[in-house]
Amino acid sequence: MSKLRILVPVKRVIDYAVKPRVNKAQTGVETNVKHSMNPFDELSVEEAVRFRERKLPVEEIVAFSAGPAKSQDIIRTAMAMGADRGIHVVEEKTELEPLGIAKLLQKVVEENKSNLVILGKQSIDDDSGQTGQMLAGLLKWPQATQASKVEFDGDNVTVTREVDGGVETLKTKLPMIITTDLRLNEPRYASLPNIMKAKKKPLEKKTLADYGIDATRRLKTVKVEEPAQRQGGGKVEDVDGMISKLKELGAL
Amino acid sequence: MVVPIRTGLLRQAATCLRQNRATPVRTLSRDAAIRRLASTLAILEQRDGKLNMSSLASVTAAMKMGGSVHGFLAGSNIKAVADEAAKVEGLEKIIYVENGDYDRGLAENWAPLLVENIKKGGYTHVMAGHSAFGKGLLPRVAAMMDVQQISDITEIQGEDTFVRPIYAGNAILTVQSADNPKIVTVRGTAFASGAAEGGSASTEEGTDPKAECPTQWVSEDLAKSDRPELASAEKVVSGGRGLKSKEEFDRLMPPLADALGAAIGASRAAVDSGFADNSLQVGQTGKNVAPQLYLCAGISGAIQHLAGMKDSKVIAAINKDPDAPIFQVADVGLVGDLFEKVPELTEKLNSA
């Protein structure tokens, strides 16, 4: 089978356990909080590393991120988990939209001759769930989204994906795009020696201009608001209390 | 002398401008212009020759745009489904493409199919449900048309302005798009599907580019159930980590669901621990539900779970931890051991 040249895009997002707060200006959320790698992207890195451990012919695993200087921390994390090198497109001003990222990734794929891109199915900040499919559309490659299992048989790839009401299995060929579902694997923790080793792995810094990408946003943020707050209705003493309260509320 | 006249003129001009900006007539004519111009293609889903009723949420959303709405269908023996869809209220025309290659909803050949038909119809808006099918397909279509898609909208504020939840529903974003067409996926629970009867749309065959599909559909394994479908059920009972095992989940939850005529859901913890099937997961990365009643047991209420159920009309919770975050959103909270309370509740509901 052809050698796997895997690209794994990762995104720095507000840690999943932090409850985001909308800022006073209603332009976004407070970002002065703990950040981590997007949980779905950890699954992508883990899956790529497991391919190598399964003795598949993995030639290289490249971790990629676009964003502010701090994004390089999560590229280092990906390298500590087993990625071989990193590419960081440093962009401080504009937060790229999925279409912009997909166009950028298309260039990165061409430049690095990647034949497999594994992305998270969505980032937990924007919740768009678009980038992988957009990249597949631009490259005209097959796509398998929300993957919970990936198997290789030569150049044939069989992917089980999570769909409404169950799972479905697809078969396609490299090169292709895969997006990860939570069921795919359980990401490892980077060990201290691996974190130290990752510091020595090559990390290339680039800019949008290097790839000739126009980062102008297509969507204009009109405002960001706190959701309507639900008020808990208090507690009842026993099951009878629960039933009568539910009747009172018209739910039974 | 000169000064008062100038001031007067300025004031007059300012008044005119203000009036111009505020006159209702002008707003109306602008809306009317949009109504004339807007035309939306609503992507409908079908399975084995049956129209998927929950995909009609895209029609409901499309009707809010105010212009003409066409429905789109593709697959084998599709004319019969198109005739069924023609009765859906609000649709002016059904565009259908008869070709078995589209039966499995694969994005690789569906995307070129849609791009062709969107271009041909000159639509200003394209809408599909935020289902597994819509999520997989529409971004691919959007990229091919150089459009930034808007995902999972919950509200339409104007021809170009949409509202969607971000950060697991912890923030609500209003965005404006200048793209053409505007490509949107719609949260089903935010746009109840309209009437399946009463419409009289015409049907018309669409363009089939017959793009090659490099991907082959192999098989599927769908959880079978006689219960109402989770995403559209009126009532949902949901179990979490507190149920401790699959055996307990299967012992306690189905009888409670039966007593209420409810669908069964689960938290990620319950799914990860193997208590329940993945397809039952409610939350940011699972299903979004907004039933009349969401009754949960043994669920603490992590933000990712709340993201999927906090638009429920009434939330009831049973949990032994009085400080569990679920009680902050529950309309009815019962602190207690679910292994006692759930069977008692089931029994009392059955005998009521």
Side-chain angles (χ1 to χ4, degrees), chain A residues 92-146:
Chain A
E92 299 284 348
K93 283 195 295 264
T94 315
E95 196 181 320
L96 290 158
E97 292 172 326
L99 183 64
I101 287 281
K103 287 179 178 174
L104 176 58
L105 286 172
Q106 182 184 14
K107 304 267 185 191
V108 175
V109 162
E110 284 160 6
E111 179 193 54
N112 292 279
K113 299 186 174 60
S114 318
N115 57 5
L116 176 63
V117 188
I118 315 179
L119 308 89
K121 76 165 176 179
Q122 76 194 70
S123 65
I124 60 160
D125 50 0
D126 187 53
D127 282 336
S128 281
Q130 301 172 358
T131 308
Q133 298 90 303
M134 286 186 154
L135 178 60
L138 294 174
L139 289 165
K140 301 189 175 69
W141 286 6
Q143 66 183 54
T145 54
Q146 300 182 211

Side-chain angles (χ1 to χ4, degrees), chain A residues 7-248:
Chain A
L7 178 68
V8 189
V10 293
K11 184 176 182 184
R12 178 178 177 267
V13 298
I14 291 181
D15 189 85
Y16 74 94
V18 174
K19 189 178 158 67
R21 300 269 173 216
V22 173
N23 65 22
K24 283 207 180 71
Q26 293 202 319
T27 53
V29 303
E30 298 287 354
T31 50
N32 200 9
V33 294
K34 187 186 175 197
H35 282 66
S36 309
M37 190 191 296
N38 180 42
F40 291 100
D41 302 342
E42 290 183 8
L43 298 155
S44 318
V45 180
E46 175 68 31
E47 194 66 11
V49 175
R50 286 190 190 188
F51 289 159
R52 175 175 279 151
E53 288 168 353
R54 270 155 55 185
K55 307 281 181 239
L56 289 165
V58 175
E59 193 175 316
E60 68 166 357
I61 302 168
V62 179
F64 169 92
S65 197
K70 282 178 180 166
S71 303
Q72 69 162 279
D73 298 351
I74 62 155
I75 302 179
R76 291 281 174 209
T77 307
M79 293 195 290
M81 288 172 72
D84 304 307
R85 62 186 176 94
I87 301 172
H88 180 194
V89 169
V90 187
E91 175 55 37
E92 299 284 348
K93 283 195 295 264
T94 315
E95 196 181 320
L96 290 158
E97 292 172 326
L99 183 64
I101 287 281
K103 287 179 178 174
L104 176 58
L105 286 172
Q106 182 184 14
K107 304 267 185 191
V108 175
V109 162
E110 284 160 6
E111 179 193 54
N112 292 279
K113 299 186 174 60
S114 318
N115 57 5
L116 176 63
V117 188
I118 315 179
L119 308 89
K121 76 165 176 179
Q122 76 194 70
S123 65
I124 60 160
D125 50 0
D126 187 53
D127 282 336
S128 281
Q130 301 172 358
T131 308
Q133 298 90 303
M134 286 186 154
L135 178 60
L138 294 174
L139 289 165
K140 301 189 175 69
W141 286 6
Q143 66 183 54
T145 54
Q146 300 182 211
S148 57
K149 196 175 176 189
V150 182
E151 284 171 312
F152 286 87
D153 169 21
D155 280 353
N156 290 318
V157 190
T158 305
V159 181
T160 303
R161 50 188 303 262
E162 300 286 322
V163 294
D164 300 336
V167 294
E168 77 174 8
T169 303
L170 305 175
K171 197 169 169 180
T172 192
K173 273 188 177 8
L174 290 174
M176 73 172 300
I177 306 290
I178 293 173
T179 75
T180 62
D181 202 87
L182 283 172
R183 241 56 63 186
L184 185 60
N185 59 47
E186 206 159 311
R188 69 196 61 194
Y189 289 103
S191 67
L192 189 59
N194 285 341
I195 292 171
M196 300 313 286
K197 260 188 247 167
K199 289 187 176 164
K200 299 206 176 75
K201 289 184 179 177
L203 173 56
E204 205 179 341
K205 278 189 188 167
K206 298 247 191 178
T207 62
L208 289 170
D210 292 338
Y211 292 101
I213 294 291
D214 172 13
T216 315
R217 288 176 65 90
R218 299 292 188 84
L219 301 181
K220 187 177 133 207
T221 297
V222 178
K223 63 181 169 188
V224 178
E225 296 164 287
E226 291 278 349
Q229 288 304 316
R230 262 193 106 98
Q231 279 301 317
K235 290 168 186 155
V236 292
E237 285 301 311
D238 50 21
V239 168
D240 290 325
M242 178 170 251
I243 292 174
S244 57
K245 186 80 185 284
L246 287 177
K247 280 186 177 152
E248 197 183 301

Side-chain angles (χ1 to χ4, degrees), chain B residues 235-255:
Chain B
K235 290 172 184 162
V236 173
V237 298
S238 197
R241 197 198 301 272
L243 281 147
K244 292 205 167 77
S245 69
K246 179 167 170 46
E247 289 67 37
E248 293 296 335
F249 194 100
D250 289 344
R251 186 173 71 87
L252 296 177
M253 299 313 285

Side-chain angles (χ1 to χ4, degrees), chain B residues 211-234:
Chain B
E212 259 185 61
C213 187
T215 302
Q216 193 192 334
W217 184 90
V218 179
S219 64
E220 69 185 356
D221 184 8
L222 301 182
K224 284 184 187 64
S225 165
D226 298 331
R227 294 206 172 77
E229 200 218 338
L230 180 58
S232 55
E234 291 251 310

